Amino acid sequence: MFGIVRPCRHGMCGGLFKEWMAHLCGLCLALRDEHGHASRLVTNYDGLLVSVLTEAQAPASSPHRRAAACALRGFKGADVVEAEGVRLAASVSLILAAGKVRDHVEDGDGIYARRLVAAGAGRVAARWSAAGSGTASALGFDPAPLLVAVEEQTRLERLPNPSLLQLTAPTEAAVAAAFGHTAVLAGKPHNRETLEEAGRYFGRLAHLLDAVEDLARDRAHGAYNPLVASGTDLAAARRHCDDAVHGLRLAVAELDLERRRLVNALLVRETGRATGRIFGEAEQESPEAPPGDPRLKPDPGGLLSLLCMSAACCTCGLYRPPWDEDRYKSCGERCDASGCDACGQCGDACSGCCDCCSGCSDCCNCDCNCNCNC
Protein backbone atom coordinates (compact mmCIF):
# COMPACT_ATOMS: atom_id res chain seq x y z
CA MET A 1 0.00 0.00 0.00
CA PHE A 2 1.41 3.35 -0.97
CA GLY A 3 0.39 6.96 -1.30
CA ILE A 4 0.91 10.34 0.31
CA VAL A 5 -2.36 10.29 2.27
CA ARG A 6 -1.63 8.03 5.25
CA PRO A 7 -4.00 8.89 8.09
CA CYS A 8 -3.05 7.58 11.51
CA ARG A 9 -5.65 6.25 13.93
CA HIS A 10 -3.89 8.18 16.73
CA GLY A 11 -4.46 11.53 15.01
CA MET A 12 -7.96 11.05 13.61
CA CYS A 13 -11.31 10.71 15.37
CA GLY A 14 -12.34 7.09 15.72
CA GLY A 15 -15.45 7.50 13.59
CA LEU A 16 -13.53 9.07 10.72
CA PHE A 17 -10.83 6.41 10.85
CA LYS A 18 -13.49 3.70 10.60
CA GLU A 19 -14.95 5.45 7.56
CA TRP A 20 -11.51 5.60 5.94
CA MET A 21 -10.88 1.91 6.64
CA ALA A 22 -14.29 1.08 5.12
CA HIS A 23 -13.14 2.63 1.85
CA LEU A 24 -9.69 1.04 2.02
CA CYS A 25 -11.03 -2.47 2.62
CA GLY A 26 -13.78 -1.87 0.08
CA LEU A 27 -11.18 -1.05 -2.57
CA CYS A 28 -9.15 -4.15 -1.77
CA LEU A 29 -12.22 -6.41 -1.92
CA ALA A 30 -13.50 -4.80 -5.12
CA LEU A 31 -10.17 -5.56 -6.76
CA ARG A 32 -10.31 -9.15 -5.54
CA ASP A 33 -13.91 -9.78 -6.55
CA GLU A 34 -13.67 -8.30 -10.05
CA HIS A 35 -10.07 -8.92 -11.03
CA GLY A 36 -8.62 -11.69 -8.87
CA HIS A 37 -6.38 -11.89 -5.81
CA ALA A 38 -3.23 -10.70 -7.61
CA SER A 39 -4.87 -7.37 -8.41
CA ARG A 40 -5.05 -6.57 -4.68
CA LEU A 41 -1.37 -5.67 -4.96
CA VAL A 42 -2.41 -2.33 -6.47
CA THR A 43 -4.46 -1.32 -3.40
CA ASN A 44 -3.20 2.13 -2.45
CA TYR A 45 -4.10 4.94 -0.12
CA ASP A 46 -4.45 7.70 -2.71
CA GLY A 47 -6.67 5.73 -5.09
CA LEU A 48 -9.40 5.35 -2.51
CA LEU A 49 -9.87 9.13 -2.47
CA VAL A 50 -12.04 8.57 -5.55
CA SER A 51 -14.36 6.40 -3.46
CA VAL A 52 -14.33 8.88 -0.57
CA LEU A 53 -15.29 11.78 -2.86
CA THR A 54 -18.13 9.80 -4.45
CA GLU A 55 -19.67 8.89 -1.10
CA ALA A 56 -19.18 12.39 0.31
CA GLN A 57 -21.31 13.85 -2.48
CA ALA A 58 -24.12 11.26 -2.28
CA PRO A 59 -23.98 9.05 0.85
CA ALA A 60 -27.37 7.51 0.09
CA SER A 61 -26.06 5.97 -3.14
CA SER A 62 -23.02 4.39 -1.45
CA PRO A 63 -24.11 1.13 0.24
CA HIS A 64 -21.98 -0.70 2.80
CA ARG A 65 -21.76 -4.40 3.64
CA ARG A 66 -20.21 -6.52 6.36
CA ALA A 67 -16.98 -8.22 5.28
CA ALA A 68 -15.56 -11.40 6.79
CA ALA A 69 -12.42 -11.56 8.92
CA CYS A 70 -9.17 -10.66 7.16
CA ALA A 71 -5.56 -11.19 8.21
CA LEU A 72 -4.69 -7.61 7.28
CA ARG A 73 -7.26 -6.43 9.83
CA GLY A 74 -5.94 -8.67 12.58
CA PHE A 75 -8.52 -11.37 11.69
CA LYS A 76 -11.45 -9.07 12.33
CA GLY A 77 -14.56 -8.38 10.28
CA ALA A 78 -15.34 -4.89 9.05
CA ASP A 79 -17.93 -2.62 7.50
CA VAL A 80 -16.81 -1.91 3.92
CA VAL A 81 -18.02 0.33 1.09
CA GLU A 82 -19.63 -1.43 -1.87
CA ALA A 83 -20.56 1.15 -4.50
CA GLU A 84 -19.67 2.53 -7.92
CA GLY A 85 -17.16 4.89 -6.35
CA VAL A 86 -15.03 2.05 -5.03
CA ARG A 87 -15.21 0.32 -8.44
CA LEU A 88 -13.93 3.52 -10.07
CA ALA A 89 -11.13 3.64 -7.50
CA ALA A 90 -10.24 0.04 -8.40
CA SER A 91 -10.20 0.89 -12.10
CA VAL A 92 -7.97 3.93 -11.59
CA SER A 93 -5.60 1.97 -9.34
CA LEU A 94 -5.22 -0.83 -11.91
CA ILE A 95 -4.55 1.47 -14.85
CA LEU A 96 -2.04 3.66 -13.03
CA ALA A 97 -0.27 0.65 -11.50
CA ALA A 98 0.00 -0.90 -14.97
CA GLY A 99 1.54 2.30 -16.27
CA LYS A 100 4.02 2.42 -13.42
CA VAL A 101 5.09 -1.18 -14.03
CA ARG A 102 5.58 -0.44 -17.75
CA ASP A 103 7.69 2.57 -16.83
CA HIS A 104 9.92 0.42 -14.60
CA VAL A 105 10.27 -2.16 -17.37
CA GLU A 106 11.17 0.48 -19.94
CA ASP A 107 13.75 2.07 -17.62
CA GLY A 108 15.15 -1.31 -16.55
CA ASP A 109 14.88 -0.43 -12.86
CA GLY A 110 16.26 -3.00 -10.40
CA ILE A 111 14.95 -6.50 -11.03
CA TYR A 112 13.05 -5.24 -14.09
CA ALA A 113 16.39 -5.20 -15.92
CA ARG A 114 16.20 -9.00 -16.08
CA ARG A 115 14.49 -10.30 -19.20
CA LEU A 116 12.27 -12.90 -17.55
CA VAL A 117 11.09 -10.48 -14.88
CA ALA A 118 10.48 -7.75 -17.46
CA ALA A 119 8.51 -10.12 -19.69
CA GLY A 120 6.33 -11.31 -16.80
CA ALA A 121 5.80 -7.77 -15.51
CA GLY A 122 4.82 -6.61 -18.99
CA ARG A 123 2.12 -9.27 -19.25
CA VAL A 124 0.78 -8.39 -15.79
CA ALA A 125 0.70 -4.70 -16.72
CA ALA A 126 -1.22 -5.45 -19.92
CA ARG A 127 -3.75 -7.55 -17.99
CA TRP A 128 -4.22 -4.86 -15.32
CA SER A 129 -4.63 -2.13 -17.93
CA ALA A 130 -7.26 -4.12 -19.84
CA ALA A 131 -9.14 -4.98 -16.63
CA GLY A 132 -9.10 -1.40 -15.39
CA SER A 133 -10.24 -0.06 -18.76
CA GLY A 134 -13.11 -2.55 -18.84
CA THR A 135 -14.37 -1.48 -15.42
CA ALA A 136 -13.96 2.19 -16.33
CA SER A 137 -16.02 1.79 -19.49
CA ALA A 138 -18.77 0.00 -17.54
CA LEU A 139 -18.93 3.05 -15.26
CA GLY A 140 -19.08 5.50 -18.15
CA PHE A 141 -15.56 6.77 -17.48
CA ASP A 142 -13.17 7.42 -20.38
CA PRO A 143 -9.81 5.96 -19.27
CA ALA A 144 -7.86 7.74 -22.02
CA PRO A 145 -6.27 10.40 -19.75
CA LEU A 146 -4.95 7.62 -17.50
CA LEU A 147 -3.79 5.40 -20.37
CA VAL A 148 -1.84 8.16 -22.10
CA ALA A 149 -0.37 9.59 -18.89
CA VAL A 150 2.63 7.26 -18.81
CA GLU A 151 3.34 7.65 -22.54
CA GLU A 152 3.18 11.41 -22.24
CA GLN A 153 5.36 11.27 -19.13
CA THR A 154 7.98 9.27 -21.02
CA ARG A 155 7.94 11.79 -23.87
CA LEU A 156 8.36 14.73 -21.51
CA GLU A 157 11.22 13.05 -19.67
CA ARG A 158 13.14 12.93 -22.95
CA LEU A 159 12.99 16.69 -23.42
CA PRO A 160 16.34 18.46 -22.90
CA ASN A 161 15.21 21.14 -20.44
CA PRO A 162 11.69 20.45 -19.19
CA SER A 163 10.08 22.65 -16.58
CA LEU A 164 8.84 21.08 -13.38
CA LEU A 165 5.18 21.81 -14.13
CA GLN A 166 5.58 20.29 -17.59
CA LEU A 167 6.66 17.05 -15.95
CA THR A 168 3.75 16.99 -13.51
CA ALA A 169 1.12 17.77 -16.17
CA PRO A 170 0.26 14.15 -17.17
CA THR A 171 -0.31 13.16 -13.55
CA GLU A 172 -2.43 16.25 -12.98
CA ALA A 173 -4.61 15.43 -16.01
CA ALA A 174 -5.09 11.80 -14.96
CA VAL A 175 -6.12 12.62 -11.40
CA ALA A 176 -8.35 15.48 -12.57
CA ALA A 177 -10.26 13.10 -14.86
CA ALA A 178 -10.76 10.54 -12.08
CA PHE A 179 -11.84 13.13 -9.50
CA GLY A 180 -14.17 14.81 -11.97
CA HIS A 181 -16.03 11.60 -12.81
CA THR A 182 -17.04 11.15 -9.17
CA ALA A 183 -19.48 14.03 -9.72
CA VAL A 184 -21.12 12.03 -12.52
CA LEU A 185 -21.40 8.91 -10.35
CA ALA A 186 -22.83 10.93 -7.47
CA GLY A 187 -25.35 12.75 -9.65
CA LYS A 188 -23.87 16.18 -8.94
CA PRO A 189 -22.48 17.42 -12.28
CA HIS A 190 -22.11 20.98 -10.94
CA ASN A 191 -19.20 19.69 -8.81
CA ARG A 192 -17.25 18.37 -11.78
CA GLU A 193 -15.21 21.46 -12.66
CA THR A 194 -14.18 22.07 -9.06
CA LEU A 195 -13.31 18.39 -8.59
CA GLU A 196 -11.12 18.48 -11.68
CA GLU A 197 -9.33 21.50 -10.24
CA ALA A 198 -8.84 19.65 -6.95
CA GLY A 199 -7.55 16.66 -8.91
CA ARG A 200 -4.95 18.74 -10.72
CA TYR A 201 -3.64 20.13 -7.44
CA PHE A 202 -3.59 16.70 -5.83
CA GLY A 203 -1.88 15.14 -8.86
CA ARG A 204 0.82 17.81 -8.80
CA LEU A 205 1.33 17.32 -5.08
CA ALA A 206 1.53 13.54 -5.35
CA HIS A 207 4.04 13.73 -8.20
CA LEU A 208 6.27 16.25 -6.44
CA LEU A 209 6.23 14.54 -3.04
CA ASP A 210 7.11 11.25 -4.70
CA ALA A 211 10.05 12.97 -6.41
CA VAL A 212 11.23 14.50 -3.12
CA GLU A 213 10.99 11.13 -1.33
CA ASP A 214 13.04 9.43 -4.05
CA LEU A 215 15.55 12.24 -4.58
CA ALA A 216 18.46 10.85 -2.55
CA ARG A 217 18.01 7.31 -3.89
CA ASP A 218 17.65 8.48 -7.50
CA ARG A 219 20.82 10.54 -7.22
CA ALA A 220 22.72 7.60 -5.73
CA HIS A 221 21.63 5.27 -8.54
CA GLY A 222 21.70 7.81 -11.37
CA ALA A 223 17.96 7.33 -11.96
CA TYR A 224 15.63 9.93 -13.43
CA ASN A 225 14.12 12.42 -11.01
CA PRO A 226 11.90 15.37 -12.00
CA LEU A 227 13.63 17.74 -9.58
CA VAL A 228 17.07 16.99 -10.97
CA ALA A 229 15.91 17.03 -14.60
CA SER A 230 14.23 20.41 -14.22
CA GLY A 231 16.96 21.92 -12.02
CA THR A 232 14.52 22.49 -9.15
CA ASP A 233 15.88 22.72 -5.61
CA LEU A 234 14.00 21.65 -2.50
CA ALA A 235 13.01 25.21 -1.61
CA ALA A 236 11.33 25.76 -4.97
CA ALA A 237 9.70 22.33 -4.82
CA ARG A 238 8.34 23.16 -1.35
CA ARG A 239 6.79 26.36 -2.69
CA HIS A 240 5.04 24.42 -5.46
CA CYS A 241 3.76 21.89 -2.93
CA ASP A 242 2.55 24.56 -0.51
CA ASP A 243 0.72 26.29 -3.38
CA ALA A 244 -0.88 22.96 -4.35
CA VAL A 245 -2.01 22.31 -0.78
CA HIS A 246 -3.51 25.81 -0.60
CA GLY A 247 -5.27 25.41 -3.95
CA LEU A 248 -6.58 22.02 -2.91
CA ARG A 249 -7.96 23.47 0.31
CA LEU A 250 -9.81 26.22 -1.57
CA ALA A 251 -11.22 23.76 -4.13
CA VAL A 252 -12.49 21.40 -1.43
CA ALA A 253 -14.17 24.32 0.36
CA GLU A 254 -16.18 25.10 -2.79
CA LEU A 255 -17.53 21.56 -3.26
CA ASP A 256 -21.16 20.70 -2.62
CA LEU A 257 -20.71 17.78 -0.21
CA GLU A 258 -23.24 16.11 2.05
CA ARG A 259 -20.46 14.64 4.20
CA ARG A 260 -17.43 16.87 4.41
CA ARG A 261 -15.47 15.66 7.44
CA LEU A 262 -13.55 12.74 5.91
CA VAL A 263 -12.77 14.67 2.72
CA ASN A 264 -11.35 17.54 4.78
CA ALA A 265 -9.36 15.15 6.96
CA LEU A 266 -7.76 13.46 3.94
CA LEU A 267 -7.47 16.14 1.25
CA VAL A 268 -6.75 19.11 3.51
CA ARG A 269 -5.26 17.98 6.79
CA GLU A 270 -3.33 14.90 5.64
CA THR A 271 -1.88 16.48 2.51
CA GLY A 272 -0.46 19.31 4.59
CA ARG A 273 0.93 16.82 7.08
CA ALA A 274 2.47 14.71 4.30
CA THR A 275 4.16 17.78 2.82
CA GLY A 276 5.72 18.72 6.14
CA ARG A 277 6.79 15.15 6.88
CA ILE A 278 8.40 14.42 3.51
CA PHE A 279 10.24 17.73 3.22
CA GLY A 280 11.32 17.50 6.85
CA GLU A 281 12.97 14.17 6.12
CA ALA A 282 14.52 15.40 2.86
CA GLU A 283 15.94 18.57 4.39
CA GLN A 284 17.78 16.88 7.21
CA GLU A 285 21.44 17.52 6.60
CA SER A 286 22.75 14.48 8.44
CA PRO A 287 19.91 12.01 8.97
CA GLU A 288 20.75 9.20 11.32
CA ALA A 289 19.20 5.82 10.78
CA PRO A 290 17.43 4.39 13.85
CA PRO A 291 19.23 1.55 15.57
CA GLY A 292 18.33 -1.69 13.84
CA ASP A 293 17.39 -4.99 15.35
CA PRO A 294 20.59 -7.07 15.42
CA ARG A 295 18.59 -10.04 14.22
CA LEU A 296 17.71 -8.31 10.95
CA LYS A 297 19.71 -9.09 7.83
CA PRO A 298 20.22 -6.72 4.90
CA ASP A 299 17.78 -7.03 2.02
CA PRO A 300 19.55 -9.14 -0.62
CA GLY A 301 17.41 -7.80 -3.46
CA GLY A 302 16.88 -9.51 -6.79
CA LEU A 303 15.00 -12.75 -7.26
CA LEU A 304 15.04 -13.64 -3.54
CA SER A 305 13.24 -10.41 -2.68
CA LEU A 306 10.65 -11.12 -5.36
CA LEU A 307 10.03 -14.64 -4.02
CA CYS A 308 9.71 -13.37 -0.44
CA MET A 309 7.33 -10.63 -1.54
CA SER A 310 5.19 -13.27 -3.27
CA ALA A 311 5.19 -15.42 -0.14
CA ALA A 312 4.15 -12.45 1.99
CA CYS A 313 1.32 -11.68 -0.45
CA CYS A 314 0.06 -15.28 -0.56
CA THR A 315 -0.04 -15.45 3.25
CA CYS A 316 -1.75 -12.05 3.61
CA GLY A 317 1.36 -10.64 5.24
CA LEU A 318 1.80 -13.35 7.88
CA TYR A 319 5.16 -14.41 6.47
CA ARG A 320 7.95 -11.86 6.68
CA PRO A 321 11.54 -12.32 5.43
CA PRO A 322 14.45 -12.02 7.89
CA TRP A 323 15.29 -8.48 6.85
CA ASP A 324 11.74 -7.14 7.24
CA GLU A 325 11.41 -4.68 10.12
CA ASP A 326 8.00 -6.19 11.04
CA ARG A 327 9.22 -9.79 11.25
CA TYR A 328 9.56 -9.84 15.02
CA LYS A 329 6.36 -7.95 15.81
CA SER A 330 3.30 -9.73 17.13
CA CYS A 331 0.65 -10.99 14.72
CA GLY A 332 -1.72 -8.18 15.66
CA GLU A 333 0.91 -5.51 15.08
CA ARG A 334 1.95 -6.96 11.72
CA CYS A 335 -1.53 -7.51 10.34
CA ASP A 336 -3.21 -4.30 11.48
CA ALA A 337 -3.33 -2.07 8.40
CA SER A 338 -4.05 0.96 10.57
CA GLY A 339 -0.61 1.24 12.11
CA CYS A 340 0.96 4.57 12.99
CA ASP A 341 3.04 6.37 10.36
CA ALA A 342 5.05 8.74 12.53
CA CYS A 343 2.35 11.39 12.48
CA GLY A 344 3.52 12.93 15.72
CA GLN A 345 0.16 12.39 17.42
CA CYS A 346 0.87 9.04 19.08
CA GLY A 347 -0.09 8.89 22.70
CA ASP A 348 -2.74 11.58 22.30
CA ALA A 349 -5.64 10.08 20.41
CA CYS A 350 -7.74 13.23 20.54
CA SER A 351 -5.06 15.71 19.52
CA GLY A 352 -6.30 17.88 16.68
CA CYS A 353 -9.79 16.43 16.91
CA CYS A 354 -11.52 19.64 15.97
CA ASP A 355 -9.21 20.00 12.96
CA CYS A 356 -10.00 16.55 11.63
CA CYS A 357 -13.72 17.01 12.22
CA SER A 358 -13.79 20.30 10.29
CA GLY A 359 -14.90 22.43 13.17
CA CYS A 360 -16.01 22.24 16.76
CA SER A 361 -19.69 21.79 15.91
CA ASP A 362 -18.93 18.51 14.15
CA CYS A 363 -16.42 17.43 16.76
CA CYS A 364 -19.13 17.43 19.42
CA ASN A 365 -20.86 14.66 17.51
CA CYS A 366 -17.85 12.44 16.85
CA ASP A 367 -16.98 9.44 18.98
CA CYS A 368 -13.53 10.41 20.20
CA ASN A 369 -14.97 11.56 23.56
CA CYS A 370 -12.63 14.53 23.75
CA ASN A 371 -13.46 17.81 25.41
CA CYS A 372 -13.54 20.53 22.77
CA ASN A 373 -15.34 23.09 24.96
CA CYS A 374 -18.06 23.55 22.32
Side-chain angles (χ1 to χ4, degrees), residues 264-293:
N264 280 346
L266 298 178
L267 282 178
V268 176
R269 188 172 183 229
E270 292 300 328
T271 52
R273 173 179 291 176
T275 300
R277 171 176 57 83
I278 291 173
F279 275 95
E281 294 171 355
E283 291 168 356
Q284 289 180 357
E285 295 182 357
S286 301
E288 296 182 359
D293 191 315

Side-chain angles (χ1 to χ4, degrees), residues 68-328:
C70 174
L72 295 177
R73 291 191 297 267
F75 295 101
K76 298 177 181 178
D79 179 69
V80 303
V81 176
E82 187 179 42
E84 288 186 337
V86 81
R87 294 184 64 208
L88 178 61
S91 170
V92 170
S93 297
L94 282 167
I95 295 173
L96 294 183
K100 192 165 187 177
V101 170
R102 287 199 188 101
D103 186 51
H104 284 311
V105 170
E106 184 173 336
D107 293 342
D109 296 334
I111 61 173
Y112 294 97
R114 304 185 182 187
R115 291 184 179 180
L116 289 178
V117 175
R123 286 194 291 270
V124 170
R127 186 161 60 247
W128 282 350
S129 181
S133 298
T135 300
S137 298
L139 295 170
F141 175 59
D142 181 8
L146 279 67
L147 294 172
V148 303
V150 175
E151 297 178 7
E152 179 65 10
Q153 193 71 51
T154 301
R155 185 189 69 82
L156 290 172
E157 289 178 359
R158 291 171 179 164
L159 296 178
N161 295 299
S163 69
L164 186 61
L165 296 186
Q166 271 185 299
L167 294 174
T168 64
T171 305
E172 293 178 30
V175 180
F179 276 25
H181 194 68
T182 64
V184 177
L185 296 181
K188 292 195 174 182
H190 56 280
N191 272 339
R192 185 164 190 167
E193 185 177 347
T194 305
L195 282 165
E196 289 176 348
E197 181 182 7
R200 281 188 287 272
Y201 283 124
F202 185 81
R204 180 184 304 175
L205 186 65
H207 195 122
L208 292 179
L209 292 183
D210 182 65
V212 173
E213 264 191 318
D214 295 343
L215 183 59
R217 183 176 58 193
D218 288 345
R219 280 175 170 167
H221 293 88
Y224 187 92
N225 187 284
L227 300 182
V228 177
S230 61
T232 306
D233 58 20
L234 285 177
R238 180 63 186 265
R239 287 194 295 272
H240 281 296
C241 287
D242 288 341
D243 288 344
V245 170
H246 181 66
L248 186 58
R249 182 181 296 112
L250 294 178
V252 169
E254 293 179 6
L255 289 173
D256 174 17
L257 303 177
E258 294 184 32
R259 287 185 184 173
R260 181 172 295 276
R261 295 188 303 168
L262 185 57
V263 173
N264 280 346
L266 298 178
L267 282 178
V268 176
R269 188 172 183 229
E270 292 300 328
T271 52
R273 173 179 291 176
T275 300
R277 171 176 57 83
I278 291 173
F279 275 95
E281 294 171 355
E283 291 168 356
Q284 289 180 357
E285 295 182 357
S286 301
E288 296 182 359
D293 191 315
R295 297 170 293 181
L296 300 181
K297 300 178 182 179
D299 183 348
L303 183 58
L304 182 57
S305 288
L306 181 62
L307 292 175
C308 288
M309 181 182 70
S310 301
C313 178
C314 292
T315 61
C316 287
L318 294 180
Y319 167 77
R320 298 284 180 163
W323 58 85
D324 193 301
E325 62 182 7
D326 291 334
R327 179 180 176 87
Y328 300 99

